[in-house]
Amino acid sequence: MAPDHIVALGPEIIMNEYQLEQRDALEQLQKTITCFSGTRKEQLLLAMKPYLDFRRRLDRFSQKHFNAHCTSACFQSKRSACCSKDGIITFWADMVVNTCCGGPAQMALLHEAIKKPHFSDKCIYLAPGGCLWNVRPLVCAMFICDRVQDVVLGASPADSQRWDTFKSCAKSFRWPDKPVLFDYLEAVFIAAGCDSSLMYLHKSPGLLRIKKRSGLI
């Protein structure tokens, strides 16, 4: 790889290290899933069901309370802290969930977005009509800036308490002090021969320490 981590794939396509990382993970994932049996795919969907139920509740809450504020404060004004270029953090499990829930056409959109971002100053997955993911990465879904927290949650103790419940629930799917979905989904694909830098629950020193202290490894 070039010293500045920029790779040219043709006269009009230049990908940086982040884009290459995303492309590699998505290609590995899609190739591996196509080799899974119908039973294996059903097991994955069953394991993801509580998480998907949580995400539907979270999306309803966010659409009601945050979307109008976030569209104005971040997307339209270009002040975004969460949607800035290459600012998105994707876990391997995020990609598994999205791939299992999105069809081939939606996956093709992500491939194209990785190669050719829609905006030079925003997340590569952000199109003029919004995020291209079917099920957005959990980090994105849970991020709200201090301003929106003050405006929305500061005005309603009940909504603030409910948001705290969402944060606790989100942690239960990815914080490996006990068996969690994100760790399980990584393990499934590691066993199938995949290897990605996005497998944080098997690669992050901090998360591995948590798993060790909890007796999981």
Side-chain angles (χ1 to χ4, degrees), residues 9-214:
L9 300 181
E12 298 180 355
I13 300 176
I14 298 177
M15 297 176 69
N16 61 26
E17 188 174 27
Y18 176 81
Q19 289 169 283
L20 292 170
E21 176 188 57
Q22 297 291 305
R23 185 191 65 174
D24 174 71
L26 189 58
E27 289 180 349
Q28 282 194 69
L29 178 57
Q30 290 184 288
K31 181 179 179 180
T32 304
I33 282 183
T34 60
C35 297
F36 282 174
S37 67
T39 299
R40 194 67 174 120
K41 292 176 183 177
E42 289 176 3
Q43 290 173 340
L44 287 176
L45 290 172
L46 183 62
M48 289 187 286
K49 186 179 183 305
Y51 177 70
L52 293 173
D53 290 342
F54 158 71
R55 290 300 304 269
R56 283 188 282 269
R57 296 194 304 273
L58 174 63
D59 286 347
R60 286 195 296 269
F61 182 88
S62 296
Q63 288 166 7
K64 179 180 178 180
H65 297 285
F66 300 142
N67 278 21
H69 296 278
C70 294
T71 298
S72 173
C74 287
F75 183 62
Q76 294 174 347
S77 70
K78 299 184 179 181
R79 294 201 307 268
S80 173
C82 58
C83 296
S84 58
K85 180 173 172 56
D86 295 355
I88 181 177
I89 298 174
T90 56
F91 283 70
W92 179 265
D94 288 318
M95 285 204 164
V96 174
V97 171
N98 192 59
T99 300
C100 289
C101 294
Q106 203 258 342
M107 292 298 101
L109 286 177
L110 296 191
H111 276 292
E112 190 64 20
I114 290 172
K115 292 189 298 181
K116 297 181 179 181
H118 292 269
F119 303 99
S120 62
D121 59 343
K122 293 187 180 294
C123 169
I124 63 174
Y125 295 113
L126 189 61
C131 179
L132 293 174
W133 284 56
N134 189 307
V135 183
R136 291 181 300 156
L138 185 55
V139 169
C140 301
M142 294 304 302
F143 180 86
I144 53 171
C145 68
D146 292 341
R147 177 179 176 274
V148 172
Q149 288 192 59
D150 292 341
V151 171
V152 177
L153 302 181
S156 173
D159 288 336
S160 180
Q161 184 176 16
R162 192 173 179 199
W163 182 247
D164 287 340
T165 300
F166 280 125
K167 288 193 293 184
S168 177
C169 192
K171 187 176 180 180
S172 72
F173 292 108
R174 67 180 176 186
W175 191 253
D177 57 352
K178 60 183 180 303
V180 293
L181 176 68
F182 277 34
D183 189 46
Y184 165 74
L185 293 178
E186 287 185 8
V188 168
F189 285 87
I190 289 172
C194 293
D195 183 29
S196 170
S197 56
L198 302 185
M199 293 174 167
Y200 298 118
L201 282 87
H202 285 80
K203 292 182 178 290
S204 165
L207 294 178
L208 288 172
R209 283 195 294 272
I210 293 170
K211 291 168 71 174
K212 187 173 183 179
R213 286 200 302 266
S214 302

